[in-house]
Amino acid sequence: MSKPLSRRMMLRGAGSIALGLPFLGSLVSRAEAQAASPRFLLFWQVNGTDYNRFWPNSYGRLTDASFDGRGVEALRPFRDKLLIPRGFDIRRCGRDGHAGTTATTALRTANNTEFPRGPSVDQVISDGINPPNRGPLNLTVRRVRQPLDKPMHFVSFRNGAGVVAERNPWTAYQDLVGVGAASAPDAADRLVRRRQSVLDLVSGRLELLRSRRLSTADRTKLDKHFTAVRDLETKLQSAAPMCTLPDDSALRAYEGQSLYGSEHFPTVGRIHLDLIALAFTCGMNRVATMQVGKEAESATYNFDGMSHSQTHHGLSHGDDLQPMHEIDRWHASMLAELLQKLDDVVEDDGRTVLDNSVILWANSMTDGKRHNTFDWPAVLAGSGGGRLRQGEYIDMRGGSTRGIAHNAFLNTLINVCGVES
């Protein structure tokens, strides 16, 4: 069970996990945090941003005007539940370029072409707040399979290697609801081959739960859970063929090929975010990563009102950053959809699931053309149960021209999620 953020924990940071990293107290709320059940999501993009138009318009308290015309504009409805700190540098930790930027999700860094020497932030938090032997829910939206030879292909790391993220939403769904390969073969067969609803498989247990005395909050949460499962199944059944592949042999037929093209990014992305909302709301998993695209990815953003003819990576090296601005805004809109789902569910402590979460939206670099990782873009949503400051855009450098090492920031988030060494 997670613990409140103690003063001792604030002062010492995550000690043995990240020796020597400071705790950034300026991110933490002065209000006494209540014990809560935290969730953590790393929402990760690649290839940089339109740097000049990404951030809010001015430092200080976030207002509606803070978001006008900015890359983060779609997050305006959640302004009071955001914390946007600025002034972190990745290069100070020995990272630069595509080869190693994603590996900076780990606290202990290595050379650009090597895997990190320690676990990534999601793995550390998962070890602290998930049940034993339940790792993070690692998802990705990408056109091609995940090569295993370079750290740039991963955002989650453990034991000196990358953790492969699931890109097929149907497979991810089976694993999440417990009817994957490790489950009873007859249940998996009935669900996958005959498309029988998960709800039908557990209808007896559902009725038993409903017959018991439940608090209003628990009953509402239970109803939302099964409604979410039913809605998600409907989406999976009606989505592109990759969502309804019947078994492993169908998946193997795509080996070495693209399982889906760029045009499926919105569909797959939204289903993945639905899975994360389901996991967080219903206690299936408290930690997740979601990577959209791959370093030097060849995806073309020609959907949801965008009509780019050049790949995302190609656009990041161009002189016209308008397309990159549009992509930033699309990522923000996807995140806003998830935030709304999490904010719709009120928990027993009176906070919403979003309030009891720490959502970090970050990018592998700042300026894709120059592979610049100074002034690393990071946006936080949710307060981790009241532990983080909210509704502010703050300059962490305090007037200094030298940025703060980004892994000190990650170390602070580990503490905020209730994990101590």
Side-chain angles (χ1 to χ4, degrees):
M1 181 176 293
S2 63
K3 302 177 181 178
L5 193 64
S6 66
R7 176 173 172 78
R8 175 174 62 87
M9 199 169 158
M10 286 185 180
L11 292 175
R12 80 176 205 182
S16 62
I17 295 174
L19 186 64
L21 292 176
F23 180 84
L24 305 179
S26 57
L27 296 176
V28 178
S29 172
R30 295 181 181 178
E32 185 69 20
Q34 300 296 316
S37 299
R39 287 83 158 177
F40 175 78
L41 168 65
L42 176 63
F43 185 61
W44 188 265
Q45 274 76 61
V46 296
N47 296 327
T49 65
D50 172 12
Y51 175 78
N52 292 321
R53 288 185 288 176
F54 179 80
W55 306 97
N57 285 308
S58 58
Y59 288 115
R61 195 72 193 170
L62 291 170
T63 66
D64 283 350
S66 303
F67 297 86
D68 289 345
R70 313 306 289 177
V72 296
E73 186 166 5
L75 301 181
R76 190 195 328 251
F78 306 96
R79 69 180 198 190
D80 294 331
K81 299 192 177 188
L82 299 178
L83 175 61
I84 306 180
R86 184 171 177 178
F88 301 114
D89 291 348
I90 292 179
R91 186 179 291 181
R92 289 186 61 200
C93 306
R95 296 279 173 191
D96 187 24
H98 291 295
T101 50
T102 50
T104 54
T105 58
L107 296 176
R108 299 177 63 194
T109 59
N111 294 326
N112 282 358
T113 58
E114 296 175 357
F115 283 88
R117 296 187 294 268
S120 52
V121 61
D122 62 299
Q123 295 287 335
V124 174
I125 293 174
S126 180
D127 286 348
I129 67 177
N130 260 338
N133 301 316
R134 181 180 299 174
L137 175 62
N138 298 121
L139 303 174
T140 185
V141 182
R142 57 198 297 157
R143 294 181 63 251
V144 295
R145 291 190 179 277
Q146 200 162 30
L148 305 178
D149 58 335
K150 296 179 182 179
M152 65 184 281
H153 302 306
F154 301 91
V155 296
S156 186
F157 300 91
R158 194 173 187 90
N159 300 325
V163 177
V164 176
E166 180 56 60
R167 65 190 181 121
N168 185 291
W170 182 255
T171 303
Y173 173 62
Q174 293 177 81
D175 292 342
L176 183 62
V177 300
V179 292
S183 302
D186 58 334
D189 181 77
R190 288 162 65 194
L191 174 62
V192 180
R193 297 183 183 280
R194 301 180 188 178
R195 304 294 187 258
Q196 183 171 343
S197 169
V198 174
L199 289 182
D200 295 334
L201 296 178
V202 298
S203 58
R205 294 181 183 179
L206 171 60
E207 292 307 317
L208 178 61
L209 283 172
R210 283 178 170 163
S211 68
R212 293 180 176 178
R213 290 184 177 180
L214 298 174
S215 68
T216 300
D218 284 345
R219 189 172 294 278
T220 299
K221 185 180 294 186
L222 184 65
D223 289 340
K224 283 181 176 291
H225 164 53
F226 285 101
T227 298
V229 171
R230 182 77 76 183
D231 290 346
L232 186 57
E233 282 195 318
T234 300
K235 289 182 181 180
L236 287 167
Q237 298 290 6
S238 62
M242 76 285 176
C243 295
T244 55
L245 292 175
D247 55 23
D248 287 345
S249 64
L251 289 171
R252 285 195 298 270
Y254 288 90
E255 190 170 1
Q257 303 178 37
S258 295
L259 189 57
Y260 48 81
S262 303
E263 68 275 13
H264 292 293
F265 268 42
T267 301
V268 176
R270 289 185 171 95
I271 292 176
H272 278 345
L273 292 176
D274 281 349
L275 286 170
I276 292 168
L278 183 65
F280 282 11
T281 300
C282 308
M284 295 175 172
N285 204 314
R286 297 190 178 279
V287 182
T289 65
M290 166 83 161
Q291 180 183 2
V292 182
K294 179 183 76 66
E295 288 301 322
E297 173 67 78
S298 58
T300 303
Y301 283 61
N302 53 8
F303 44 77
D304 284 358
M306 295 177 287
S307 56
H308 305 158
S309 58
Q310 210 173 355
T311 67
H312 185 202
H313 182 220
L315 292 172
S316 72
H317 285 274
D319 293 326
D320 180 9
L321 290 182
Q322 176 61 27
M324 293 295 288
H325 180 62
E326 293 173 2
I327 292 172
D328 290 341
R329 292 167 67 89
W330 182 77
H331 288 149
S333 69
M334 292 288 284
L335 178 59
E337 291 181 23
L338 173 64
L339 298 186
Q340 188 62 64
K341 293 177 188 297
L342 299 180
D343 208 34
D344 282 342
V345 181
V346 179
E347 303 202 277
D348 289 338
D349 63 359
R351 296 187 175 98
T352 68
V353 175
L354 174 58
D355 296 329
N356 285 331
S357 300
V358 175
I359 313 293
L360 170 59
W361 173 27
N363 203 300
S364 61
M365 60 184 70
T366 308
D367 180 352
K369 182 175 183 178
R370 297 171 180 81
H371 290 179
N372 181 4
T373 54
F374 290 103
D375 214 1
W376 181 52
V379 175
L380 291 169
S383 66
R387 296 174 174 119
L388 285 172
R389 292 168 60 175
Q390 298 274 267
E392 295 182 65
Y393 172 38
I394 56 178
D395 187 350
M396 298 294 296
R397 294 162 294 198
S400 171
T401 57
R402 189 177 185 183
I404 297 171
H406 83 290
N407 53 6
F409 172 55
L410 297 181
N411 175 59
T412 300
L413 297 185
I414 289 172
N415 282 249
V416 165
C417 287
V419 179
E420 52 183 321
S421 56

